[in-house]
């Protein structure tokens, strides 16, 4: 049977079915009784440009979560922060730091192409060796690393040297950076040095495809490529096809999934959830309509800034922020009284988990048009 024939014969999953399946994989239909380390592994990392988002992400997903549940394994070097997927800083388990980074290394090498004019005359292999020696001798800020590299290549562009070091080496942000309430400036060493063991050779993507589907499926090849920041993953999906089931999205796109993965009834209740900026839920599919109603597309971003997002009935329904004395909820549209009560209860739960003893009230702000 041809791929086209298989696709047209596969059952269609509507938006609500896709929504509920994705929420179930993301631990957002009901909070899970997992450790923070186990949740980070299941979710294949958490995007972490800023320190606090991974904590808010886990507070929305885990039963009884407290900030120390993530800070402790990070301090013990069982979890760490480094650039991996989509050339973006993520919080990963130690094992994933040493396997996912080699998987995406080719993309990091291609990223350097945009900076080639600033790297004329720079031996990138020597740069990697020198940068490794510097940061493994002692953790360094990017500014310190850049200044040291400039002594070797004074005519190079300083920013390009920084990017080259970040792309060629798996640079971990060492603690206390990343710890709740104790974060310091960004200082870097290699993942191998910080974690005390070598990285693995670049793996075939097949196992990561299965993990992606477990955390984000059902999904298309393009969805996973968006999540990983990689291309040419079709072959891996085709190798795995005999082990997978397929569906169609409402637009006809072929979706792959694990046979035994949860696909709840589309009418399964989805409680409100407060998600941080850059939550992986909203960044890991090429087609985000399973989570973002078309009318609200673009409202969670402004230029390069992402806002904190409120889910109601499983879909993006507004934004939120913490002011000096209040958790301010800004819905995109009117909420029923019952929905507002649910949002308030969820907001109070989040505040109790992450800001115990605070005097924050939950307040509804101006509805954004």
């Amino acid at each position: 049977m041809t791929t086209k024939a298989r696709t047209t014969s596969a059952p269609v999953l509507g938006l609500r079915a896709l929504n509920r399946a994705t929420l179930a994989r993301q631990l957002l239909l009901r909070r899970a009784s997992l450790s923070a380390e186990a949740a980070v592994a299941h979710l294949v990392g958490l995007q972490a440009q800023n320190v606090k988002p991974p904590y808010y992400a886990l507070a929305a997903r885990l039963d009884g979560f407290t900030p120390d549940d993530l800070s402790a394994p990070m301090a013990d070097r069982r979890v760490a922060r480094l650039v991996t997927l989509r050339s973006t800083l993520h919080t990963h388990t130690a094992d994933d730091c040493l396997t996912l980074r080699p998987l995406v290394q080719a993309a990091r090498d291609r990223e350097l192409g945009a900076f080639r004019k600033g790297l004329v005359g720079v031996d990138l292999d020597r740069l990697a060796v020198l940068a490794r020696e510097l940061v493994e001798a002692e953790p360094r800020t990017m500014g310190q690393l850049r200044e040291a590299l400039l002594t070797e290549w004074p005519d190079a562009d300083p920013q390009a040297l920084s990017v080259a070091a970040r792309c060629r080496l798996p640079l971990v942000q060492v603690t206390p950076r990343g710890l709740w309430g104790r974060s310091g400036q960004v200082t870097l060493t290699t993942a191998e040095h910080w974690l005390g063991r070598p990285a693995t050779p670049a793996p075939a993507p097949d196992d990561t495809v299965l993990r992606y589907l477990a955390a984000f499926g059902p999904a298309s090849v393009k969805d996973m490529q968006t999540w990983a920041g990689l291309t040419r993953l079709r072959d891996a999906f085709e190798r795995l096809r005999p082990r997978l089931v397929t569906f169609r999205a409402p637009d006809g796109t072929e979706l792959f999934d694990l046979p035994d993965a949860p696909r709840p009834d589309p009418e399964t209740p989805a409680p409100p959830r407060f998600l941080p900026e850059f939550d992986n839920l909203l960044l890991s599919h090429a087609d985000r309509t399973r989570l973002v109603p078309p009318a609200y597309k673009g409202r969670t971003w402004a230029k390069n800034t992402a806002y904190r997002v409120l889910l109601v009935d499983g879909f993006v329904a507004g934004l939120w922020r913490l002011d000096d004395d209040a958790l301010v909820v800004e819905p995109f549209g009117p909420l029923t009284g019952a929905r507002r009560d649910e949002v308030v209860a969820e907001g109070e739960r989040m505040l109790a988990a992450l800001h115990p003893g605070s005097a924050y009230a939950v307040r509804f702000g101006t509805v954004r048009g």
Side-chain angles (χ1 to χ4, degrees):
M1 184 182 293
T2 66
T3 298
K4 183 176 181 180
R6 283 194 295 257
T7 301
T8 56
S9 64
V12 174
L13 289 178
L15 286 181
R16 287 186 68 87
L18 286 172
N19 174 273
R20 293 319 196 244
T22 306
L23 293 179
R25 318 294 170 86
Q26 284 285 300
L27 315 179
L28 288 167
L29 274 186
R30 57 186 63 84
R31 284 180 169 84
S33 297
L34 293 175
S35 70
E37 188 176 354
V40 170
H42 167 72
L43 297 166
V44 206
L46 298 169
Q47 193 157 327
Q49 284 103 315
N50 300 323
V51 169
K52 291 183 178 179
Y55 293 87
Y56 285 104
L58 292 178
R61 291 168 165 88
L62 299 183
D63 189 35
F65 177 80
T66 68
D68 190 58
D69 293 337
L70 181 58
S71 285
M74 189 170 292
D76 292 342
R77 308 191 188 188
R78 304 195 312 270
V79 171
R81 296 158 54 85
L82 80 167
V83 172
T84 52
L85 309 165
R86 305 184 297 279
S87 191
T88 303
L89 193 69
H90 278 71
T91 295
H92 286 297
T93 64
D95 286 345
D96 280 346
C97 288
L98 298 170
T99 56
L100 282 179
R101 175 56 191 249
L103 178 66
V104 301
Q105 184 57 48
R108 302 292 69 75
D109 293 339
R110 287 194 298 273
E111 184 182 346
L112 277 176
F115 296 87
R116 60 184 179 276
K117 290 183 179 179
L119 295 169
V120 173
V122 176
D123 182 333
L124 293 177
D125 290 336
R126 174 162 168 69
L127 179 145
V129 170
L130 180 57
R132 182 181 290 275
E133 290 173 350
L134 289 164
V135 298
E136 291 186 352
E138 62 176 316
R140 304 192 184 234
T141 67
M142 190 56 82
Q144 291 169 336
L145 181 57
R146 181 169 54 244
E147 289 303 313
L149 294 174
L150 277 170
T151 64
E152 185 77 12
W153 294 285
D155 296 328
D157 176 68
Q159 181 188 7
L161 289 174
S162 298
V163 172
R166 179 179 64 80
C167 287
R168 292 299 298 268
L169 295 177
L171 295 177
V172 166
Q173 293 189 357
V174 308
T175 54
R177 183 71 178 178
L179 304 184
W180 185 264
R182 295 162 50 201
S183 193
Q185 66 177 334
V186 175
T187 54
L188 305 160
T189 190
T190 63
E192 299 95 331
H193 185 72
W194 184 246
L195 300 173
R197 49 196 168 106
T200 63
D206 301 40
D207 286 346
T208 306
V209 170
L210 299 175
R211 292 183 65 194
Y212 171 75
L213 293 175
F216 296 94
S220 68
V221 175
K222 190 174 181 180
D223 285 332
M224 182 173 172
Q225 291 179 161
T226 296
W227 168 79
L230 297 174
T231 58
R232 301 178 181 178
L233 291 179
R234 167 65 65 178
D235 287 349
F237 278 83
E238 292 300 333
R239 284 193 299 272
L240 292 166
R241 185 182 287 275
R243 299 170 55 184
L244 302 175
V245 293
T246 58
F247 301 94
R248 284 181 292 153
D251 66 358
T253 299
E254 184 177 35
L255 304 174
F256 293 84
D257 205 6
L258 307 175
D260 298 328
R263 288 180 289 275
D265 186 289
E267 299 309 314
T268 301
R273 291 290 186 259
F274 288 84
L275 299 182
E277 64 272 31
F278 305 114
D279 193 278
N280 292 36
L281 177 73
L282 302 178
L283 299 172
S284 301
H285 298 89
D287 180 358
R288 298 171 186 172
T289 55
R290 69 177 68 190
L291 299 158
V292 183
Y296 301 152
K297 182 181 179 180
R299 294 194 185 184
T300 63
W301 294 81
K303 296 183 179 179
N304 292 325
T305 300
Y307 298 122
R308 297 170 174 179
V309 172
L310 171 69
L311 300 184
V312 174
D313 189 30
F315 292 88
V316 169
L319 310 177
W320 64 277
R321 68 178 190 274
L322 283 178
D323 283 352
D324 291 339
D325 61 349
L327 166 60
V328 181
V329 181
E330 298 178 337
F332 292 143
L335 300 177
T336 66
R339 291 285 193 208
R340 288 170 71 96
D341 290 344
E342 291 174 353
V343 169
V344 170
E346 177 63 18
E348 290 174 343
R349 180 170 183 165
M350 183 265 287
L351 292 170
L354 296 178
H355 304 279
S358 70
Y360 289 119
V362 180
R363 187 170 73 231
F364 286 85
T366 303
V367 175
R368 299 195 175 200

